[in-house]
Amino acid sequence: MTRSRTVRRLAAAVSLLPLLAACGTGSDAHPADRKTTAGSSGQLDIPADANADLKKQYLVENAIAACMKKQGFTYTPVAPEDPAASWATDGADYTLTKKYRQKYGFGIYSGIVYPHDAGASGSTAAQRDSDGMPNADYVDTLTPEQKSAYGKALGAPPDPKTGRNDWTGCQGEADKKVYGSASVEERSTATESRSQANAQALNGDPKLVALAQSYASCLKKEGISVTTTQPTGIGEMVKLQALGSAPAGAGGVPAVGGDGNTQKKSMSKEEALPLLTKDIELAMRDLECGKQFRSAYFPKFLKAPTSGGGAG
């Protein structure tokens, strides 16, 4: 099963930082309005329309909070993101995606042009939201010893190097409570197998194959290179090509100086503005060419998702 984004972010924090800053849900390039933290009860309300996997992610967050409370610590659970919402402005909802692309294009240069706009990928505002952690203020009040104890109580992710296949601490307890005895590794293998089967089904769907071909023909007429016509790949093809050809410093790609060292600042707003204009034009042409394809693809993809096989 896929653990919530909240806990996945926490896994990185636990493994990299000796003094843990408590976990939180990050902001995507296309943030959606959603309730992210628990109410006064300290527990998240599970949406009635959440699917089985999403409900389990909510239950894990609530179980972690309850476990941490028993350990004498405060942990604010953060609502996991609904996959459907995460794709809304990346192709699943034509109207929202159009609105996004009309301003940000593929988001490659938008963070440079709109540094204070949280909706712009890579902007300082978006990064601040991404780094924002609902438990950070609480953790900041703890002494170094308490922070260490907090991190130990919260637990660490599986570590193949040590042969540890499960989460430790309250994360491990919550994981077992919700998912049962199967290890994280076993569930990951099952998820990957299911993902591959879903991809094969999508790529073999006659309607999607035909629509992908029409999509590709439209792109070619627009002078846009087509490197794949697979349903699971064509939707993000143009965006990935644009990102791949972007100069260093754009789209999250760091600039490297002549000495081989990474430079923090590489592109000015003035330099990025004309590139954003071109990016918007390209993104809009891609969106219109793929409109019919995406309207047929996403309902099937969201019911049977694949790893990285969206149609943004």
Side-chain angles (χ1 to χ4, degrees), residues 19-292:
L19 299 181
L20 178 67
C23 78
T25 294
S27 170
D28 292 323
H30 324 309
D33 291 332
R34 59 185 184 274
K35 181 179 179 181
T36 58
T37 56
S40 58
S41 67
Q43 294 281 285
L44 294 167
D45 293 327
I46 302 175
D49 60 349
N51 62 31
D53 185 59
L54 191 60
K55 286 181 180 178
K56 288 182 178 180
Q57 293 179 43
Y58 271 90
L59 291 172
V60 166
E61 282 292 299
N62 285 339
I64 292 174
C67 175
M68 289 295 284
K69 186 176 182 179
K70 292 180 181 178
Q71 298 293 323
F73 293 107
T74 296
Y75 172 86
T76 301
V78 181
E81 186 172 32
D82 186 341
S86 69
W87 286 104
T89 53
D90 214 354
D93 186 312
Y94 170 80
T95 300
L96 291 179
T97 303
K98 182 177 181 179
K99 182 178 180 181
Y100 179 88
R101 292 192 180 188
Q102 284 175 330
K103 181 176 181 179
Y104 305 120
F106 285 127
I108 300 172
Y109 308 97
S110 59
I112 302 172
V113 176
Y114 304 110
H116 305 299
D117 186 341
S121 176
S123 68
T124 54
Q127 186 61 44
R128 184 170 59 251
D129 284 352
S130 179
D131 292 339
M133 298 179 178
N135 292 296
D137 289 342
Y138 168 72
V139 174
D140 285 343
T141 67
L142 304 179
T143 65
E145 292 76 15
Q146 289 172 328
K147 289 178 181 178
S148 179
Y150 184 96
K152 184 177 181 180
L154 196 52
D159 185 359
K161 293 181 180 179
T162 63
R164 187 175 70 241
N165 296 322
D166 295 296
W167 295 74
T168 63
C170 284
Q171 293 182 94
E173 180 178 313
D175 191 87
K176 292 294 184 184
K177 181 178 180 180
V178 175
Y179 290 110
S181 60
S183 70
V184 173
E185 182 179 4
E186 290 171 333
R187 298 201 310 272
S188 177
T189 299
T191 298
E192 182 60 29
S193 296
R194 185 165 60 250
S195 174
Q196 292 178 359
N198 291 343
Q200 290 178 350
L202 290 169
N203 288 328
D205 185 298
K207 181 179 180 180
L208 295 182
V209 169
L211 288 172
Q213 292 289 344
S214 297
Y215 182 3
S217 296
C218 178
L219 291 175
K220 291 176 181 177
K221 290 179 181 178
E222 291 288 335
I224 300 173
S225 176
V226 174
T227 58
T228 181
T229 57
Q230 280 196 324
T232 55
I234 193 170
E236 293 196 294
M237 177 191 66
V238 179
K239 178 170 64 177
L240 292 176
Q241 288 180 170
L243 181 60
S245 61
V253 180
V256 179
D259 58 0
N261 294 321
T262 300
Q263 300 173 333
K264 292 184 178 180
K265 187 175 181 180
S266 59
M267 184 180 293
S268 68
K269 178 178 179 179
E270 290 69 28
E271 292 172 324
L273 189 55
L275 296 175
L276 172 60
T277 300
K278 293 181 179 179
D279 193 49
I280 290 172
E281 294 174 351
L282 179 63
M284 291 305 296
R285 281 186 286 162
D286 172 65
L287 180 65
E288 295 305 321
C289 280
K291 183 178 181 179
Q292 287 187 313

